[in-house]
Amino acid sequence: MKKKFCPQCGREETDDNPLMDELCKKCSNIRLLEGYKDPKIRICSNCGSYFFRNKLLHPIDMDFEENVKKIVKEMFESKLKFYQKAEDIKSTVKINLPKIFHHSPGNTPIIDIELSVTAIINSKRVRENHAIPLKISFISCKRCNMQNSKYYEAILQIRPYSEKIVNYIKYVVSQRKDVFITQEEELKEGVNFYITSKSFAMILLSDLKNKFDGETKITRELYSQKKDGTAIYRSTILFRLSKPL
Ligand SMILES: [Zn+2]
Ligand SMILES: [Zn+2]
């Protein structure tokens, strides 16, 4: 094949620097990757949830490091902007976490991203490699904050103690990402669960009524007042088994 040279810089055409129209890629100012917006990546250091368009989303992977990698990849790729006339764009993104990887709220580690893109521009296959450092932020999400607090809206009392019911309640709550048991009290006469959502505690109560034979009693006490004077109540919900299980 006849060697071709760039008329501007005199470089010989190579795979890495093909001639585009007249000039070589380096001289032509054509960049396959035109830019990217730094995605603002915030990941909960405790549960791995992350913010996407200001919404808190569930983790993608059970493994914390895999989860971080997948989130970074997904969010970074969505911010890439390629040359308009490029066709058949193929990109691969490799995420390199720092060797020492502290994840606690407030930490902002730098993640190294290796991006390689290939595409066809002016019927030439073009390839670019980029190394991009990306800062992410570890935070503590509001769900975890709530779980770590002693916050509750309802106390669910089970009388007498029943392992079957305790396991059932724990299982049902674990399926919910927005509801927590912030405290569990074992007493002689039974067990109390402090639950962060009153409406969920009521759903749980009707579940128990359907599944197990027992009586219920709901009492509420004034807890505090909102600024506009509306009263805030905390409920105590009792479920008493007709006979021990
Ligand atoms: Zn050139
Ligand atoms: Zn969290």
Side-chain angles (χ1 to χ4, degrees), residues 157 159 205 209 212-217 237-242:
Q157 303 178 316
R159 304 287 184 269
L205 182 67
K209 271 198 287 190
F212 308 97
D213 193 18
E215 282 172 14
T216 64
K217 193 178 153 198
I237 298 167
L238 171 71
F239 184 72
R240 186 179 295 283
L241 283 162
S242 304

Side-chain angles (χ1 to χ4, degrees), residues 54 65 93 116 120 137 204:
N54 282 323
E65 298 200 350
V93 171
S116 66
I120 293 172
S137 301
L204 201 50

Side-chain angles (χ1 to χ4, degrees), residues 146-202:
M146 195 183 269
Q147 192 170 25
N148 292 332
S149 73
K150 292 279 178 226
Y151 178 86
Y152 68 94
E153 290 177 6
I155 305 172
L156 178 60
Q157 303 178 316
I158 306 298
R159 304 287 184 269
Y161 184 91
S162 152
E163 202 178 328
K164 207 169 166 184
I165 292 186
V166 166
N167 289 341
Y168 176 74
I169 291 171
K170 285 183 179 172
Y171 172 75
V172 175
V173 173
S174 75
Q175 299 302 299
R176 294 279 300 234
K177 285 279 179 186
D178 54 344
V179 177
F180 296 101
I181 295 166
T182 50
Q183 204 187 330
E184 185 184 337
E185 261 175 355
E186 271 198 48
L187 309 162
K188 257 188 288 172
E189 62 269 29
V191 58
N192 294 343
F193 291 105
Y194 291 69
I195 296 174
T196 54
S197 156
K198 189 198 161 196
S199 55
F200 181 75
M202 294 303 290

Side-chain angles (χ1 to χ4, degrees), residues 5-11 17 19 22-28:
F5 295 88
C6 170
Q8 185 162 310
C9 67
R11 284 191 188 97
N17 191 28
L19 290 178
E22 289 286 296
L23 305 178
C24 74
K25 180 171 176 287
K26 285 200 173 98
C27 292
S28 69

Side-chain angles (χ1 to χ4, degrees), residues 44 47 141 144:
C44 177
C47 69
C141 77
C144 289

